[in-house]
Structure formats: structure tokens, C-alpha cells
């Protein structure tokens, strides 16, 4: 008989361990279970203990970074210290051609539902533009991964950034908050950005809360709550956990000990950093040596001509520290999986929601508030909720400063790391978050699952998209994607399971599509048709030129027309509107 038809409980009973083992707490079962099975089962059923102890359905942990570039982490060519992500990559797979949607909330809507973002109601941002695809709120014709996996017996947890509903106030509608969209437990923020020391819309369950401690730092809180969910998971059911970090999205906030690790690391500037990363990526096989490094963004000066170098260095030092801290949090999550005996049978994904961000939030103009003026500010009460994305004042009464020259890191600053460093984050590609050239939509994807993925430290070059994560979760969980849910007809899923790629087989599909703020693209095989709004279509051969430097549109007009027709058919089917959208 085949072990795939039996649960862990079946084998325990068959081994004669029965009530004694089943009465133990979940954590004790996990710590003692292998020894008990090893001693009993070989004399009863004759199966390998490791096979018998593999649960029928794996746990799934989906981890996402915010505004992180393709080349930032160590296992994708970066210099930032990410030993925990590097270890996951070494023990599993790295996808080199995986894609997001180029922007935070559309990505989250697509990731959670397995649909293109317009189909889920989040075609742009968190505002209602009057069209079904642009409500700024998940619609009731989609289901989340949590909702689907709950139907398959999973416990469901979330820690971190939600950002798929325009209703974020403590007293407003909560129909699209995590607890109402399939998650058993939730800690995080409903809004999309905020201070790392005092986040806007911080929430536990359905109740908004203040930070609660003087040493609160959001990246650590996200990781620690995720680890707590694992530790407190007592059910024999598997679990799905979504961990959505806000690092390294602006503002550049990081702890002093993490910033200190990067002091002076970026003194050579962004040009040297891009060259250094590109060389390392070629050596790793992440990019092909025939793909030329894109020229420095024309709006970015050469490093030797940059002014205020100390300020620029500090911005990147803090950014690197934020990624470093995120990696430390991943390490604590992994450690808790190991302590609870669930690491081997847990599928872990790690990815980013868009490319590096060129926004210069808070980094232009004079310092505000004016430091030469006496500005009386009242400290916030410890129980007061933070309603603002950018706080006006720290909890202890210091004004929150923006402006050119403000040294980021502490709670009383609020600025981005800026275009020059985003250009380096997206090495070797063009453009950034917002745009659908490769710099805006390319993400690392690490897949780690020792019980199923036998490959170690291998690359997968099959193109994939966020829509594939839902399909993969449904596949490995033995779940069923519903055609109807809570009385509503559900839009059929768009993605393809990545399981074939685990074994280095192709992912069969017609094409992958993108649209954001009028920026459009379609990829079919090695061909990509892309347009930067309001520009014309450009055509690239992704096998020969993934850095998109040689536009072949004039050379292959028939291919342009073929892919354009595919795009227009998709856009009509998914409710994409011409940009700029005029609200009804």
C-alpha cells in the first residue's frame, strides 16, 4: 500500500501508539514523533520513517519584501548581508525570471487571489475610480489563498502589510480586512506605508492598536508575530502563513546596530555598486553575460559629480540595514519551524512586490519643519492610535523631519533612498517600481521545501508570475479552487502551478500580461512587447537581450501585431481601462 493515502494519525494508530501519542500537545508530538515512529513502525508496516512522517499536506509560508530590487539580496548578487535567505536558496531553488505587477497593492491583490489585479478589483491603487477593475477594494468574485486553503483544512495566519482595501479606519467597514478574508489570526497594518516605529493602522485581529512599547520596530514585530503563530500552532492540521514585510519601503528607518554594519560600504557610489553586482550576477548565473548592463539612468549624475555624498551614502546604508533586519526576521521564522519539527515539510516562498523604488519621498527641498523655529509639539499618548502615514510627531514629541540632507534612520525622519540607489537595486535592468520594463516587475523568488524539492542550490529559468502562487498552493495542498464562494460566482484562476518547475519541467501557458498606469506589456516565450506610457510599443528578445536595449519592433512588425492583439484581448477580458482613468 502507498503512504500517500495515509495521514500521520493513521500511521501512529497503526503503530500501536494510539491515545498516548494523540493526547500529547502539538509541540510535544512534533518533537517526539519521529523517535516514536522510528521505534514502532518498522516492526508493523515496514515503511521508511521519513516517508511516513511526511504530512499529506505541507505547511506553506509565503514571505514578501516591499519595494526591494532584483539584485539586493546576497543570493541574487547583492552585497547586503542576507545569510538566512542565502541558506534557503542554497537548500532549494532560485527562479531567475519571476514577475510581479510593478506596484504594491496591485501585486498584493494578484498574489492573494491568483488573478490579475484588475480582475480582483485593485487595478490601480486604494481609491475608487468607478470601474469594476478599479475599486481599490478586493471584490467578492475572488477568493484569497487563505479562503481556499481553509476549505482544505488549513489553519491560516498573517503578519504584516495588507493593503488591498481602501477602508483602513478603525471604525469603518472591515469586510476586506484579513480576518474577513480567510485568516484565523492577523497582526499588521491595513494601510500601505508608515513609520517603522509608529505604523499607521497597526492592527491585531480586527482591532487597531498602538505600538505598545518604546523599542517597537515594525520589521521585528512582523517576524516575531509570525514566529509566535508557528510556536502556538497546536493543531494537527497544516498551516498557511503570509508574512508581508514593509521593509525596505520608505521611510528609511533602521536600528542603529544594523546601520552601523554598513558604515562606509557605499563610499564608492552607485556606479561602482552596479558594476560590482552585475559581475557577481553573471558569475552566479542569475543573468546571462550577453545581457549588457543598462546605462545609468540619465537623471542620475555620475557618482564623482554627486553632491552631499555623505547624505547619499547614509540613505543606502539605512536601506541595506532594513534588508538585513528583514533577513534576521526570516531567520527567526525558520528557526521556529525547526524547533517545532516542521521545517522539512514546509514550502517557503520568498519574493518582492515590485522593483526598487525611484520615488524621492521626503528627500527634496528644505528641511521641514524648519529647525530654526520653535515648534511646540505635544507628545502622543501611549494608547493613542497613529492615523497618519507620515506621523507629525514621534511618540516622545519630536517633529518628524523631511527634506534634502536629513540623515535617515531614526523615528523623527521620513525620507526615501531615492532614484540613484534604486537604479542600483534593479541591476542590470531598466526602470523601477511603476513601470513594466524588467526593472519594475522582476523579483527574486526563492522556493524551499526539503520534503519535496530535491534540487539544492539550483536555478529555474521558467518565466512565472504572482498569479502562479495561488495555483501552486492549491496544487500542493490538494485543495480545490471554488467556482462559487459564499454565494458569489468566482472568477477562474489565471495562474499555473510551479510544481513542474520544481522538477525543472516547463510551465505551460500562452502568455503573461501587465498593465499599470498605462504601462503595458505581454510576454510570450522569449518575446516581450512593452510600452512605457504614453510611448509606443517596444519589442525585445528576452533570451538575447533581457536588459531591453535593442528594440526589434521595426524589424519584426508581424510579431508586434501578434502580441499586441494578445494584449488587447486580455485587457478587454480583464477590465483594463485606458490611462489616465476618468472616474465615472
Amino acid at each position: 500500500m502507498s503512504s500517500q493515502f495515509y495521514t500521520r494519525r493513521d500511521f501512529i494508530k497503526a503503530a500501536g501508539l494510539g491515545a498516548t501519542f494523540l493526547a500529547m500537545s502539538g509541540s510535544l508530538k512534533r518533537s517526539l514523533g519521529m523517535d516514536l515512529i522510528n521505534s514502532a513502525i518498522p516492526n508493523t508496516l515496514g515503511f521508511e520513517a521519513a516517508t511516513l512522517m511526511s504530512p499529506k499536506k505541507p505547511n506553506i509560508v509565503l514571505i514578501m519584501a516591499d519595494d526591494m530590487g532584483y539584485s539586493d539580496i546576497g543570493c541574487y548578487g547583492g552585497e547586503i548581508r542576507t545569510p538566512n535567505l542565502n541558506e534557503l536558496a542554497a537548500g532549494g531553488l532560485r527562479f531567475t525570471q519571476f514577475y510581479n505587477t510593478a506596484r504594491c497593492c496591485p501585486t498584493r491583490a494578484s498574489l492573494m487571489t491568483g488573478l490579475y489585479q484588475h480582475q480582483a478589483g485593485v487595478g490601480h491603487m486604494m481609491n475608487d475610480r468607478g470601474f469594476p477593475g478599479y475599486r481599490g477594494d478586493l471584490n467578492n468574485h475572488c477568493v484569497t489563498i487563505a479562503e481556499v486553503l481553509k476549505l482544505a483544512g488549513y489553519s491560516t495566519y498573517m503578519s504584516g502589510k495588507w493593503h488591498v482595501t481602501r477602508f483602513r479606519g478603525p471604525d469603518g467597514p472591515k469586510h476586506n480586512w484579513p480576518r474577513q478574508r480567510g485568516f484565523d489570526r492577523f497582526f499588521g497594518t491595513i494601510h500601505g506605508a508608515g513609520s517603522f516605529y509608529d505604523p499607521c493602522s497597526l492592527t491585531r485581529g480586527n482591532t487597531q492598536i498602538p505600538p505598545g512599547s518604546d523599542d517597537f520596530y515594525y520589521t521585528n514585530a512582523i517576524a516575531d508575530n509570525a514566529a509566535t503563530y508557528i510556536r502556538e500552532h497546536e493543531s494537527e492540521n497544516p498551516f498557511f502563513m503570509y508574512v508581508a514585510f514593509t521593509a525596505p519601503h520608505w521611510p528609511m528607518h533602521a536600528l542603529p546596530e544594523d546601520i552601523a554594519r554598513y558604515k562606509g560600504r557605499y563610499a564608492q557610489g552607485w556606479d561602482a555598486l552596479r558594476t560590482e553586482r552585475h559581475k557577481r550576477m553573471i558569475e552566479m548565473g542569475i543573468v546571462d553575460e550577453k545581457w549588457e548592463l543598462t546605462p545609468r539612468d540619465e537623471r542620475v549624475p555620475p557618482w564623482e559629480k554627486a553632491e552631499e555624498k555623505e547624505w547619499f551614502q547614509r540613505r543606502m546604508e539605512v536601506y541595506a540595514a532594513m534588508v538585513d533586519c528583514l533577513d534576521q526576521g526570516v531567520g527567526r521564522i525558520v528557526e521556529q519551524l525547526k524547533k517545532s519539527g516542521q521545517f522539512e515539510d514546509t514550502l517557503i516562498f520568498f519574493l518582492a512586490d515590485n522593483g526598487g523604488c525611484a520615488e524621492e519621498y521626503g528627500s527634496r527641498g528644505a528641511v521641514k519643519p524648519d529647525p530654526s523655529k520653535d515648534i511646540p509639539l505635544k507628545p502622543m499618548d501611549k494608547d493613542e492610535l497613529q492615523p497618519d502615514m507620515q506621523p507629525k510627531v514621534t511618540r516622545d514629541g519630536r517633529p518628524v523631519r523631511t527634506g534634502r540632507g536629513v540623515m535617515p534612520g531614526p523615528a523623527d525622519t521620513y525620507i526615501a533612498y531615492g532614484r540613484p540607489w534604486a537604479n542600483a537595486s534593479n541591476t542590470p535592468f531598466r526602470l523601477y517600481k511603476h513601470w513594466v520594463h524588467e526593472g519594475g516587475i522582476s523579483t527574486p523568488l526563492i522556493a524551499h521545501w526539503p520534503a519535496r524539492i530535491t534540487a539544492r542550490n539550483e536555478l529555474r529559468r521558467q518565466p512565472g508570475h504572482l498569479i502562479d502562487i495561488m495555483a501552486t498552493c492549491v496544487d500542493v495542498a490538494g485543495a480545490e479552487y471554488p467556482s462559487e464562494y459564499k454565494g458569489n460566482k468566482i472568477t477562474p484562476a489565471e495562474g499555473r502551478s510551479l510544481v513542474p518547475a520544481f522538477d525543472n519541467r516547463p510551465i505551460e501557458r500562452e502568455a503573461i500580461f501587465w498593465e499599470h498606469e498605462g504601462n503595458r506589456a505581454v510576454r510570450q516565450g522569449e518575446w516581450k512587447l512593452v510600452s512605457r506610457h504614453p510611448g509606443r510599443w517596444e519589442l525585445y528578445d528576452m533570451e538575447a537581450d533581457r536588459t531591453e536595449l535593442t528594440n526589434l519592433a521595426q524589424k519584426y512588425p508581424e510579431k508586434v501585431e501578434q502580441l499586441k492583439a494578445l494584449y488587447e484581448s486580455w485587457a478587454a477580458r480583464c477590465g483594463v481601462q485606458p490611462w489616465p482613468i476618468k472616474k465615472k
Side-chain angles (χ1 to χ4, degrees), residues 229-247:
Y229 294 154
I230 298 168
R231 186 176 67 251
E232 294 180 353
H233 178 74
E234 294 294 331
S235 171
E236 288 189 56
N237 295 336
F239 64 82
F240 166 70
M241 184 166 67
Y242 175 34
V243 185
F245 287 102
T246 53

Side-chain angles (χ1 to χ4, degrees), residues 63-64 158-161 187-189 196 199 202 216-229 241-247 326 329-330 332-333:
I63 306 173
M64 187 157 67
M158 181 183 171
S159 185
K161 172 177 168 177
F187 167 84
T189 43
F196 283 74
L202 188 63
F216 181 93
Y217 182 69
Y218 193 27
T219 302
N220 285 339
I222 290 170
D224 292 343
N225 275 270
T228 295
Y229 294 154
M241 184 166 67
Y242 175 34
V243 185
F245 287 102
T246 53
L326 181 156
V330 171
R332 294 197 297 278
I333 292 168

Side-chain angles (χ1 to χ4, degrees), residues 313-551:
Q313 287 181 61
R314 172 73 173 202
R315 293 166 78 187
M316 187 61 193
E317 289 166 4
V318 176
Y319 179 90
M322 295 170 76
V323 176
D324 187 318
C325 186
L326 181 156
D327 181 82
Q328 294 171 47
V330 171
R332 294 197 297 278
I333 292 168
V334 167
E335 181 62 25
Q336 191 58 53
L337 285 169
K338 291 178 178 177
K339 285 181 179 178
S340 62
Q342 301 189 81
F343 183 64
E344 295 292 315
D345 285 315
T346 297
L347 169 59
I348 300 174
F349 282 124
F350 174 83
L351 71 164
D353 65 343
N354 45 248
C357 178
E359 297 166 1
E360 293 284 353
Y361 189 100
S363 59
R364 292 193 175 106
V367 175
K368 297 179 181 178
D370 187 339
S372 67
K373 296 179 180 178
D374 184 16
I375 304 169
L377 291 169
K378 179 184 176 183
M380 292 184 67
D381 185 84
K382 64 181 180 63
D383 296 322
E384 189 176 348
L385 299 179
Q386 177 56 260
D388 298 325
M389 181 189 78
Q390 179 186 324
K392 298 177 182 64
V393 60
T394 63
R395 288 274 160 173
D396 58 4
R398 291 170 292 152
V400 174
R401 298 168 293 134
T402 62
R404 191 173 183 90
V406 169
M407 290 293 187
D412 64 342
T413 68
Y414 206 101
I415 68 171
Y417 81 142
R419 184 183 304 274
W421 296 119
N423 197 188
S425 284
N426 295 336
T427 300
F429 302 128
R430 288 174 57 191
L431 295 177
Y432 315 92
K433 171 185 178 179
H434 295 268
W435 292 280
V436 297
H437 284 73
E438 294 293 285
I441 59 176
S442 297
T443 173
L445 177 68
I446 298 170
H448 184 278
W449 182 13
R452 170 61 180 82
I453 298 175
T454 58
R456 298 291 182 268
N457 198 28
E458 290 189 7
L459 303 177
R460 293 292 181 263
R461 306 189 189 280
Q462 296 88 329
H465 187 279
L466 295 166
I467 54 176
D468 300 333
I469 299 295
M470 165 73 87
T472 308
C473 290
V474 169
D475 188 358
V476 303
E480 183 176 348
Y481 185 89
S483 58
E484 186 176 298
Y485 185 76
K486 293 185 177 179
N488 298 305
K489 185 177 180 181
I490 300 303
T491 305
E494 292 280 346
R496 299 290 183 269
S497 174
L498 298 175
V499 169
F502 293 170
D503 301 318
N504 211 17
R505 291 184 284 121
I507 303 169
E508 303 291 346
R509 72 170 93 237
E510 182 180 31
I512 304 171
F513 302 90
W514 294 267
E515 189 279 335
H516 182 65
E517 296 182 341
N519 303 298
R520 305 166 291 166
V522 53
R523 178 163 178 181
Q524 185 181 55
E526 74 271 27
W527 292 104
K528 180 183 176 186
L529 190 69
V530 60
S531 170
R532 179 181 181 182
H533 181 77
R536 296 182 177 181
W537 287 110
E538 304 164 12
L539 180 67
Y540 298 100
D541 179 346
M542 292 284 105
E543 289 187 4
D545 175 34
R546 195 177 165 205
T547 47
E548 300 170 307
L549 295 176
T550 304
N551 181 6

Side-chain angles (χ1 to χ4, degrees), residues 102-416:
R103 194 69 174 272
C104 42
C105 39
T107 277
R108 291 157 207 280
S110 183
L111 177 68
M112 276 293 98
T113 65
L115 304 174
Y116 288 105
Q117 62 268 33
H118 313 80
Q119 296 170 300
V122 189
H124 185 231
M125 297 292 286
M126 297 290 90
N127 50 353
D128 187 353
R129 294 180 175 271
F131 292 92
Y134 299 83
R135 295 293 187 187
D137 203 32
L138 287 184
N139 60 40
N140 58 12
H141 297 294
C142 65
V143 283
T144 68
I145 297 174
E147 288 171 328
V148 174
L149 295 192
K150 277 183 73 69
L151 296 175
Y154 274 68
S155 298
T156 54
Y157 309 128
M158 181 183 171
S159 185
K161 172 177 168 177
W162 185 232
H163 205 203
V164 287
T165 178
R166 65 181 185 273
F167 301 108
R168 61 182 177 88
D171 301 318
K174 299 179 180 178
H175 59 284
N176 267 331
W177 286 24
R179 289 285 287 110
Q180 284 64 252
R181 293 308 303 243
F183 288 95
D184 297 326
R185 300 180 70 179
F186 168 65
F187 167 84
T189 43
I190 305 301
H191 190 47
S195 168
F196 283 74
Y197 302 99
D198 193 6
C200 171
S201 73
L202 188 63
T203 303
R204 187 175 297 283
N206 281 321
T207 303
Q208 294 200 348
I209 58 175
S213 66
D214 293 338
D215 62 351
F216 181 93
Y217 182 69
Y218 193 27
T219 302
N220 285 339
I222 290 170
D224 292 343
N225 275 270
T228 295
Y229 294 154
I230 298 168
R231 186 176 67 251
E232 294 180 353
H233 178 74
E234 294 294 331
S235 171
E236 288 189 56
N237 295 336
F239 64 82
F240 166 70
M241 184 166 67
Y242 175 34
V243 185
F245 287 102
T246 53
H249 191 292
W250 49 257
M252 296 297 99
H253 281 167
L255 302 174
E257 58 269 29
D258 292 328
I259 300 172
R261 194 173 291 121
Y262 296 93
K263 182 66 176 175
R265 178 61 180 83
Y266 300 102
Q268 291 182 307
W270 40 73
D271 296 320
L273 186 63
R274 294 182 76 231
T275 300
E276 171 193 331
R277 288 188 178 187
H278 188 225
K279 179 181 178 182
R280 210 158 34 230
M281 295 171 87
I282 292 172
E283 292 170 351
M284 289 179 166
I286 299 292
V287 301
D288 195 309
E289 63 181 353
K290 66 175 177 280
W291 302 339
E292 294 182 24
L293 177 64
T294 53
R296 181 197 326 106
D297 188 313
E298 61 187 11
R299 292 161 290 184
V300 174
W303 176 250
E304 60 268 21
K305 294 184 179 180
E307 299 177 354
E308 301 176 280
K309 286 185 172 62
E310 184 180 354
W311 178 60
F312 274 114
Q313 287 181 61
R314 172 73 173 202
R315 293 166 78 187
M316 187 61 193
E317 289 166 4
V318 176
Y319 179 90
M322 295 170 76
V323 176
D324 187 318
C325 186
L326 181 156
D327 181 82
Q328 294 171 47
V330 171
R332 294 197 297 278
I333 292 168
V334 167
E335 181 62 25
Q336 191 58 53
L337 285 169
K338 291 178 178 177
K339 285 181 179 178
S340 62
Q342 301 189 81
F343 183 64
E344 295 292 315
D345 285 315
T346 297
L347 169 59
I348 300 174
F349 282 124
F350 174 83
L351 71 164
D353 65 343
N354 45 248
C357 178
E359 297 166 1
E360 293 284 353
Y361 189 100
S363 59
R364 292 193 175 106
V367 175
K368 297 179 181 178
D370 187 339
S372 67
K373 296 179 180 178
D374 184 16
I375 304 169
L377 291 169
K378 179 184 176 183
M380 292 184 67
D381 185 84
K382 64 181 180 63
D383 296 322
E384 189 176 348
L385 299 179
Q386 177 56 260
D388 298 325
M389 181 189 78
Q390 179 186 324
K392 298 177 182 64
V393 60
T394 63
R395 288 274 160 173
D396 58 4
R398 291 170 292 152
V400 174
R401 298 168 293 134
T402 62
R404 191 173 183 90
V406 169
M407 290 293 187
D412 64 342
T413 68
Y414 206 101
I415 68 171

